[in-house]
Coordinates of all heavy atoms in Angstrom, one line a residue:
Chain E
V28 N 99.2 44.7 98.0 CA 97.9 44.7 97.7 C 97.6 43.7 96.5 O 98.3 43.7 95.5 CB 97.4 46.2 97.2 CG1 96.0 46.1 96.8 CG2 97.7 47.2 98.3
I36 N 86.8 39.4 81.0 CA 86.1 39.7 79.7 C 84.6 39.4 79.9 O 84.3 38.2 80.3 CB 86.6 38.9 78.6 CG1 88.1 39.2 78.4 CG2 85.9 39.2 77.3 CD1 88.9 38.4 77.3
K38 N 80.3 40.2 78.6 CA 79.5 40.8 77.5 C 78.6 41.9 78.1 O 78.3 41.9 79.3 CB 78.5 39.7 77.1 CG 79.2 38.6 76.2 CD 78.3 37.6 75.7 CE 79.0 36.5 74.8 NZ 78.0 35.5 74.4
G40 N 76.0 44.2 79.4 CA 74.7 43.9 80.2 C 75.0 42.9 81.3 O 74.0 42.8 82.2
V43 N 79.6 42.3 86.9 CA 81.0 41.8 87.3 C 81.2 42.2 88.6 O 80.8 43.3 89.1 CB 82.0 42.2 86.2 CG1 81.8 41.6 84.9 CG2 82.1 43.7 86.2
D48 N 92.3 42.9 98.1 CA 92.9 42.6 99.4 C 94.0 43.6 99.7 O 95.0 43.5 99.2 CB 93.3 41.2 99.6 CG 92.1 40.2 99.6 OD1 91.6 39.9 100.7 OD2 91.6 39.7 98.6
E52 N 96.2 45.5 108.0 CA 96.3 46.6 108.9 C 96.3 48.0 108.3 O 96.4 49.1 108.9 CB 97.5 46.4 109.9 CG 97.4 45.2 110.7 CD 98.5 45.2 111.7 OE1 99.4 46.2 111.8 OE2 98.5 44.1 112.5
L56 N 91.4 52.5 102.1 CA 91.4 51.7 100.8 C 90.7 52.6 99.8 O 89.7 53.2 100.0 CB 90.6 50.4 101.0 CG 90.6 49.4 99.8 CD1 90.6 48.0 100.4 CD2 89.4 49.6 98.9
Y57 N 91.2 52.5 98.6 CA 90.8 53.4 97.5 C 90.6 52.5 96.2 O 91.4 51.6 96.0 CB 91.9 54.4 97.1 CG 92.4 55.1 98.3 CD1 93.5 54.5 99.1 CD2 92.1 56.4 98.6 CE1 94.1 55.3 100.2 CE2 92.7 57.1 99.7 CZ 93.7 56.5 100.5 OH 94.3 57.2 101.5
R60 N 90.0 54.1 88.6 CA 89.8 53.5 87.2 C 90.8 54.2 86.2 O 90.9 55.4 86.3 CB 88.4 53.7 86.7 CG 88.0 53.2 85.4 CD 86.6 53.3 85.1 NE 86.2 54.7 84.9 CZ 85.0 55.1 84.6 NH1 83.9 54.3 84.7 NH2 84.7 56.4 84.4
T62 N 91.8 54.4 82.1 CA 91.6 54.1 80.7 C 92.8 54.3 79.9 O 93.7 55.0 80.4 CB 90.3 54.9 80.1 OG1 90.6 56.2 80.4 CG2 89.0 54.6 80.7
L70 N 87.8 56.8 92.3 CA 86.4 56.4 92.3 C 85.8 56.5 93.7 O 84.7 57.1 93.9 CB 86.2 54.9 91.8 CG 86.5 54.6 90.3 CD1 86.4 53.2 90.1 CD2 85.6 55.4 89.4
E76 N 85.5 50.2 107.4 CA 84.3 49.8 106.7 C 83.4 50.9 106.1 O 82.5 50.6 105.4 CB 83.5 48.8 107.4 CG 82.7 49.4 108.7 CD 83.7 49.5 109.9 OE1 84.9 49.2 109.8 OE2 83.1 49.9 111.0
Q78 N 82.4 54.0 103.9 CA 82.7 54.5 102.6 C 82.5 56.0 102.6 O 81.4 56.5 102.8 CB 81.7 53.9 101.5 CG 82.1 54.4 100.1 CD 81.2 53.7 99.1 OE1 80.1 53.2 99.3 NE2 81.6 53.7 97.7
P94 N 83.1 45.2 103.8 CA 82.1 44.9 104.9 C 82.8 44.7 106.3 O 82.2 45.0 107.3 CB 81.6 43.5 104.5 CG 82.5 43.0 103.4 CD 83.0 44.2 102.8
I103 N 80.1 46.1 89.3 CA 79.4 46.9 88.2 C 78.2 46.1 87.6 O 78.4 44.9 87.1 CB 80.4 47.2 87.0 CG1 81.7 47.7 87.5 CG2 79.8 48.1 85.9 CD1 82.8 47.9 86.5
T106 N 76.9 46.0 82.6 CA 78.2 46.6 82.1 C 77.9 47.2 80.7 O 77.1 46.7 80.0 CB 79.3 45.6 82.0 OG1 78.9 44.5 81.4 CG2 79.9 45.2 83.4
G109 N 81.7 51.3 77.7 CA 82.5 52.4 78.2 C 83.1 52.0 79.6 O 83.9 52.8 80.1
P120 N 98.3 53.2 105.2 CA 98.2 52.7 106.7 C 97.4 53.7 107.4 O 96.6 53.2 108.4 CB 99.6 52.8 107.1 CG 100.5 53.2 106.0 CD 99.6 53.5 104.7

Side-chain angles (χ1 to χ4, degrees):
Chain E
V28 178
I36 299 174
K38 293 183 178 179
V43 295
D48 286 273
E52 299 185 358
L56 188 146
Y57 314 78
R60 180 175 69 185
T62 53
L70 291 178
E76 66 276 9
Q78 188 175 20
I103 308 174
T106 53

